[in-house]
């Protein structure tokens, strides 16, 4: 039964926003507070998302920039 979930994320970590350091692997980003998240997609596009607690950014990200990010307690899953 568990093999049905092999493509689901299995790991999570707290995000430390940085304008230069990418995640070790592409990740989905989840907000645990209200604010803005400046996310860099795996294609290098930067988008600032206005988020509420529990919001999942609908793209695979390589980084969360510290510039323009006001949300705290951000998680990533991969």
């Amino acid at each position: 039964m568990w093999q049905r979930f092999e493509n689901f994320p299995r790991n999570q970590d707290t995000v430390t926003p940085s304008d230069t350091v990418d995640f070790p692997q592409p990740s989905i980003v989840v907000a645990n507070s209200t604010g803005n998240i400046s996310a860099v997609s795996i294609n290098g596009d930067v988008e600032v998302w206005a988020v509420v607690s529990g919001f999942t950014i609908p793209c695979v990200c390589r980084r969360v920039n510290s510039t323009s990010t006001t949300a705290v307690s951000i998680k990533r899953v991969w």
Side-chain angles (χ1 to χ4, degrees):
M1 175 175 153
W2 291 109
Q3 63 272 21
R4 289 189 218 166
F5 299 102
E6 63 189 38
N7 293 327
F8 277 56
R10 296 171 188 253
N11 302 292
Q12 67 177 0
D13 197 7
T14 301
V15 171
T16 301
S18 170
D19 290 337
T20 58
V21 179
D22 289 347
F23 301 143
Q25 56 280 113
S27 303
I28 301 297
V29 175
V30 180
N32 288 313
S33 70
T34 299
N36 292 327
I37 295 179
S38 176
V40 181
S41 74
I42 58 171
N43 297 325
D45 300 324
V46 178
E47 183 73 33
V48 177
W49 298 84
V51 299
V52 294
S53 183
F55 185 82
T56 301
I57 294 176
C59 72
V60 179
C61 300
R62 70 163 67 171
R63 179 175 70 236
V64 169
N65 287 330
S66 57
T67 302
S68 300
T69 296
T70 59
V72 296
S73 187
I74 304 167
K75 296 280 190 180
R76 68 183 185 96
V77 295
W78 71 96

